[in-house]
Amino acid sequence: MHKNDLLFLTAEIAQAKSVYPVGRISQVTAGLLVISGFANLPRTGDRVKVICRDGEKVAAEILSIGRETVSALAETSIEGVSVNDRVLLLGKKKLAPSPRWIGRIIDPLGNPLDNRPLLRSDTPVNLNASPPKPTNRRSMGARLDTGMAIFNTLLPLVQGQRLGLFAGSGLGKSSLISHFAKHMQADVVVLALIGERGRELADFVTYALGPEGMARSVVVATTSDQSALMRRRCAFSAMSVAEYFRDKGAQVLLLADSITRFAEAHREIAIASGEVPAMRGYPASTSSMIMSLCERAGPGEIGAGDITALFSVLVAGSDMEEPIADILRGVLDGHVVLDRQIAERGRYPAINLLKSLSRSLPMAATVAENQLIQTARQLLGAYEESALMIRAGLYVSGSDPLLDRAIKIWPDLDKFLGDTESLGVENSFRRLADILQQDEVVENPDSNFESS
């Protein structure tokens, strides 16, 4: 046995408890369990375990506390729970990640889902930890190679950046996430698969992520049939794992799919605890819940690493004004919009560049690179504005020099946006420069780009 394994095994034994405070079920109503007999011991967020008469066990989380009773929401079905059943107070929910978690699939409680033993470290982390102090945080760091031409040039990602991925169903969101997990610069990748379809979890890990992606990843997963508590906790657990590796100095990539399902789970919990639905059925606390989660990602303090994060959002009918999308756009450092029309004509990734934005610009690029980005956006904008007229054959060549140029380079530029075999940031910019300069008369086409 390795020395570290012995330490982790010792930590497992140290965390084992044999004595718990005991209460009793006094009422069961609509998924909420009302428990008495704990006196002043419970705190909101503590976990409890109900021991049913037939021997079944039901875990729950305390949502509210009264003078003599507490109310808890069950993590699983409450079938079989009856009045006077014993309830054990387990205490605050914590995870204890370790480097041995890399390459593993776990649930939000830290239990293995891949049928192999999983040892915890001796330093539990808080699932609801506070973000680093704003005044102690570093600025966003160096530009990252993503393995995709569009992100290496026109939508750059840098260390510590938080990006939103907005997409409807079937637009290649999962494929894009798996590409980042396999190819993007990072020491450790943490994936939060929130409310995934059960049949897709194994397929995603085996085929989309593959051995290459799993070799540096920790996957925290819940399926769609699990309770709202487990689905919401999945995001918090994944963030806590990412913070564990960040505090050890690692550059961490956090991929959360999706924040929409996280918000829906929070809505169920909040309404069960008595909150009133507000914006399109979401309670008022939804905004602060999402913001507090996102603020934990980003640049770390001096001596720590960074958490570069990608949060996906499911936008029904491509409605970018729906509450969850609107909240995220306001708190993140950029957003990427996947477009159904682009996907339907076969381009992957189906990113609508004109609706997407990286707030790492202009600092993430040189003067010459920013000029290339501005030119590319200008030409794409000119083409998209007149696309219907061009396709109908109504545009007369020579009427608009800018549009003439946009029409000439559009096939090559569109192909460039779908390039997933990028050879690095510098080479990606060289290819973009070649496309944009193909119809220009320049004494030395590379001079401006090289000088920067």
Side-chain angles (χ1 to χ4, degrees):
M1 177 180 290
H2 193 274
K3 179 181 178 181
N4 287 339
D5 290 340
L6 184 59
L7 291 175
F8 295 151
L9 185 57
T10 304
E12 287 281 340
I13 296 172
Q15 293 177 44
K17 292 176 63 176
S18 58
V19 178
Y20 297 93
V22 177
R24 296 283 177 174
I25 295 289
S26 61
Q27 187 177 357
V28 182
T29 128
L32 278 179
L33 308 175
V34 181
I35 307 163
S36 59
F38 280 145
N40 297 323
L41 294 175
R43 300 164 297 177
T44 55
D46 280 356
R47 296 182 71 235
V48 297
K49 183 186 291 184
V50 182
I51 310 299
C52 302
R53 294 177 185 176
D54 58 4
E56 291 294 321
K57 298 178 177 63
V58 176
E61 180 179 315
I62 294 175
L63 297 183
S64 61
I65 300 175
R67 287 187 176 274
E68 297 184 2
T69 62
V70 300
S71 296
L73 185 64
E75 295 176 352
T76 55
S77 170
I78 61 171
E79 185 176 353
V81 177
S82 59
V83 172
N84 213 38
D85 281 346
R86 286 188 305 146
V87 184
L88 308 183
L89 180 61
L90 304 181
K92 195 172 182 64
K93 52 187 185 294
K94 288 186 177 180
L95 282 183
S98 83
R100 294 302 178 92
W101 285 21
I102 297 176
R104 302 298 302 276
I105 309 170
I106 64 171
D107 70 8
L109 301 175
N111 301 315
L113 294 176
D114 50 11
N115 302 316
R116 290 184 288 151
L118 183 70
L119 295 177
R120 295 174 287 185
S121 71
D122 58 351
T123 52
V125 297
N126 187 355
L127 288 188
N128 299 105
S130 300
K133 292 182 179 180
T135 53
N136 294 347
R137 289 187 119 164
R138 302 189 309 275
S139 299
M140 291 192 295
R143 191 165 56 189
L144 298 171
D145 183 6
T146 65
M148 284 189 168
I150 187 170
F151 289 107
N152 281 357
T153 54
L154 301 166
L155 288 173
L157 270 166
V158 301
Q159 288 177 352
Q161 186 171 355
R162 300 165 304 177
L163 198 69
L165 176 60
F166 299 82
S169 58
L171 299 186
K173 172 176 55 66
S174 297
S175 298
L176 190 54
I177 289 173
S178 65
H179 179 95
F180 280 132
K182 289 189 287 188
H183 300 291
M184 190 166 166
Q185 278 181 259
D187 298 320
V188 179
V189 179
V190 179
L191 288 100
L193 302 180
I194 306 166
E196 278 291 323
R197 290 179 285 267
R199 65 173 182 81
E200 289 189 346
L201 177 57
D203 286 348
F204 181 86
V205 171
T206 305
Y207 302 111
L209 198 55
E212 180 185 2
M214 278 301 298
R216 59 174 188 162
S217 299
V218 180
V219 179
V220 185
T222 54
T223 52
S224 58
D225 63 309
Q226 292 182 276
S227 70
L229 279 172
M230 294 294 282
R231 284 181 276 129
R232 187 178 72 171
R233 192 179 297 156
C234 183
F236 292 129
S237 297
M239 184 64 74
S240 298
V241 173
E243 289 169 333
Y244 168 82
F245 289 105
R246 176 204 65 195
D247 293 343
K248 290 188 171 297
Q251 290 297 325
V252 183
L253 173 62
L254 173 67
L255 303 170
D257 183 23
S258 71
I259 295 301
T260 304
R261 291 193 286 262
F262 166 75
E264 289 170 349
H266 173 70
R267 176 174 59 188
E268 290 182 44
I269 296 167
I271 292 175
S273 64
E275 271 200 72
V276 178
M279 43 184 187
R280 298 200 191 177
Y282 289 99
S285 61
T286 302
S287 179
S288 61
M289 182 68 64
I290 292 175
M291 289 180 180
S292 62
L293 177 71
C294 294
E295 279 298 326
R296 292 168 65 181
E301 298 182 358
I302 296 174
D306 305 308
I307 300 176
T308 306
L310 182 71
F311 300 99
S312 75
V313 184
L314 295 167
V315 284
S318 300
D319 180 10
M320 292 295 293
E321 303 305 318
E322 62 94 21
I324 308 307
D326 196 44
I327 292 168
L328 274 171
R329 277 206 315 276
V331 74
L332 298 181
D333 307 312
H335 52 271
V336 175
V337 179
L338 299 188
D339 191 296
R340 190 167 300 279
Q341 290 185 342
I342 295 175
E344 287 173 349
R345 60 179 173 82
R347 195 191 84 198
Y348 168 81
I351 296 171
N352 187 324
L353 179 66
L354 300 178
K355 293 183 179 179
S356 303
L357 174 71
S358 173
R359 291 195 173 102
S360 64
L361 289 173
M363 299 300 294
T366 65
V367 173
E369 290 169 349
N370 276 308
Q371 289 176 345
L372 290 174
I373 292 169
Q374 183 179 1
T375 301
R377 281 184 170 273
Q378 186 180 25
L379 292 171
L380 278 172
Y383 185 91
E384 290 299 325
E385 187 177 352
S386 304
L388 185 61
M389 184 171 60
I390 294 168
R391 290 169 187 149
L394 300 177
Y395 176 70
V396 179
S397 180
S399 303
D400 183 344
L402 179 65
L403 187 53
D404 287 340
R405 184 183 176 199
I407 293 171
K408 180 175 181 180
I409 71 167
W410 187 84
D412 289 335
L413 187 54
D414 187 64
K415 183 179 179 181
F416 174 82
L417 298 180
D419 180 16
T420 59
E421 297 181 356
S422 173
L423 300 177
V425 174
E426 294 301 325
N427 285 333
S428 295
F429 267 111
R430 292 183 189 281
R431 290 183 58 195
L432 178 60
D434 289 341
I435 292 170
L436 298 181
Q437 293 171 352
Q438 62 181 290
D439 63 334
E440 289 185 323
V441 179
V442 181
E443 292 181 7
N444 183 0
D446 290 334
S447 59
N448 290 334
F449 183 69
E450 292 285 355
S451 65
S452 62

